[in-house]
Amino acid sequence: MSETFRVGVAGLTHGHVFGLINSFKNAEGVSLVAVADKTGLLEGQKDNFERLYTDWEEMLEKEQLDGLLVTSDNVESAQIAVAALNKGIPCFVEKAMAANATDADLMLAAQKASGKTLMINWPFAWNAWMFALKSEIESETIGHVFHLRFRNGHFGPKEIGCNKEFVEWLYDEKLNGGGAIADFCSYGAVLSRWLFGMPERVTCVRGNYTKDYDISDDHAVLLLEYADKNVFIEGTWATFGFDSGPNPVVHGKTGTIANYNGTIKVHRAGKDDEELNVPALAVTNPATYFVDCVRNGKTPEGILNPELAADACRILDAGIESAKTKCAVAP
């Protein structure tokens, strides 16, 4: 590997891509050498990359890359990652890992065969409150935890002004893996997997409740059942603003821990609320973290680990099946 870390980008249709390109631009020792995309978004990247391609396969054939940022739709992203890993190119894949667990498993197999880094990036992985929350749960600050509630979303990709290339595949059940359930329940699924492991059963209700156009679901709720606890996840493209309450909230036998926009508080009966220390993260740039993993042979930790992200796909697959059958499904 050269002293300069050479990065390519495959796909510009994931709405998170432009912020991630800036992350790599701001990472020390990184060079953005090539980008591939078949839409009109490619034209706007002339100033950021040395070379532009309309075909990601051609780019992988011609370029010597130390890492690849994969930011296409959830189906093509899996295809790109498998092809790149098979060529020995480490991959940074923006969430979600894949449209389904079958594709996620193909990515895991390619990673294991190649021995190269595969990191699944979740934007909220860089929030310090998540690690503080996990630490307090593991320390049993509120005793045995029996319930977590997490919600995420907005009032719709089209309605908030996402570009048409992003909206087109987000609203395609096959390319996205669902609607709001794939977009936003995925966060809750990977968070639950990280905190508590795999649930025993998943129950889901989803539907199009507010849109006057065809869409698989604009609101979904998942109930994850564990042997000694449960998790309630809400994902929405139908909500014009949440209430001012905390999110997520964790209930334990002796109290409640809640996140208030990065501030963690403990609530106990008959006692004043206690604000807990939230240590700052050592690294907050996902690109810097990825480069360090590749250069030093580190396995991405926490929800960045592809094994956890693949399990999140299994949870969502079970949820989608549950919505069809009206029964709880084992992931």
Side-chain angles (χ1 to χ4, degrees):
M1 188 182 300
S2 62
E3 185 174 338
T4 299
F5 192 90
R6 297 167 56 83
V7 173
V9 176
L12 293 170
T13 60
H14 196 303
H16 299 178
V17 64
F18 304 109
L20 292 172
I21 287 171
N22 286 333
S23 295
F24 279 96
K25 288 176 69 173
N26 293 329
E28 185 177 352
V30 170
S31 175
L32 293 170
V33 298
V35 58
D37 187 77
K38 57 181 177 289
T39 75
L41 295 170
L42 186 65
E43 187 70 15
Q45 294 302 309
K46 288 182 177 179
D47 293 338
N48 287 328
F49 295 88
E50 297 174 18
R51 285 171 293 282
L52 277 60
Y53 295 85
T54 56
D55 186 330
W56 59 264
E57 292 179 297
E58 180 185 3
M59 179 180 71
L60 296 187
E61 286 293 333
K62 292 184 176 180
E63 298 291 343
Q64 296 296 315
L65 301 174
D66 298 313
L68 182 69
L69 170 59
V70 183
T71 39
S72 186
D73 65 69
N74 289 343
V75 171
E76 187 174 50
S77 282
Q79 296 168 349
I80 294 168
V82 168
L85 289 164
N86 285 341
K87 290 180 176 292
I89 303 171
C91 289
F92 174 124
V93 179
E94 183 63 357
K95 80 91 192 171
M97 181 174 184
N100 53 66
T102 298
D103 286 353
D105 284 338
L106 292 175
M107 296 168 70
L108 288 179
Q111 186 277 320
K112 290 173 182 176
S114 68
K116 299 300 180 180
T117 300
L118 172 60
M119 174 176 135
I120 311 303
N121 186 60
W122 300 83
F124 74 156
W126 310 101
N127 292 336
W129 65 259
M130 286 185 53
F131 299 90
L133 184 71
K134 190 174 194 294
S135 177
E136 297 300 329
I137 291 173
E138 292 175 345
S139 299
E140 297 188 341
T141 298
I142 54 172
H144 166 64
V145 167
F146 63 87
H147 178 69
L148 178 144
R149 183 175 73 254
F150 181 71
R151 54 197 173 150
N152 203 11
H154 48 56
F155 56 95
K158 184 184 296 184
E159 287 77 8
I160 69 169
C162 292
N163 64 50
K164 64 180 180 63
E165 292 84 0
F166 193 23
V167 169
E168 283 175 359
W169 71 259
L170 279 177
Y171 285 8
D172 186 317
E173 174 94 356
K174 181 180 178 181
L175 296 181
N176 187 13
I181 188 174
D183 190 12
F184 283 121
C185 287
S186 58
Y187 287 91
V190 78
L191 177 64
S192 300
R193 168 62 181 85
W194 182 49
L195 293 175
F196 306 128
M198 286 295 282
E200 295 179 351
R201 300 194 303 173
V202 180
T203 303
C204 173
V205 177
R206 66 173 181 145
N208 179 8
Y209 299 106
T210 69
K211 307 306 183 196
D212 59 3
Y213 48 84
D214 186 35
I215 187 174
S216 61
D217 62 274
D218 69 354
H219 193 88
V221 294
L222 296 176
L223 177 63
L224 278 52
E225 296 180 67
Y226 293 81
D228 59 355
K229 63 180 63 71
N230 62 69
V231 175
F232 183 82
I233 300 168
E234 175 187 3
T236 183
W237 285 346
T239 303
F240 280 84
F242 292 103
D243 60 54
S244 59
N247 181 45
V249 177
V250 181
H251 296 290
K253 187 174 180 179
T254 62
T256 296
I257 300 176
N259 170 50
Y260 296 85
N261 295 318
T263 298
I264 301 293
K265 293 183 179 181
V266 178
H267 307 284
R268 292 188 177 91
K271 296 183 179 181
D272 292 337
D273 293 346
E274 178 187 358
E275 185 173 323
L276 301 179
N277 179 47
V278 179
L281 299 182
V283 178
T284 57
N285 184 335
T288 298
Y289 183 91
F290 173 69
V291 172
D292 180 58
C293 285
V294 175
R295 286 195 179 280
N296 296 295
K298 298 178 181 178
T299 299
E301 297 180 335
I303 64 173
L304 304 173
N305 186 291
E307 298 278 357
L308 267 71
D311 280 347
C313 289
R314 297 183 222 290
I315 292 170
L316 293 183
D317 282 0
I320 290 170
E321 181 64 20
S322 169
K324 292 177 182 176
T325 63
K326 311 299 183 184
C327 298
V329 174

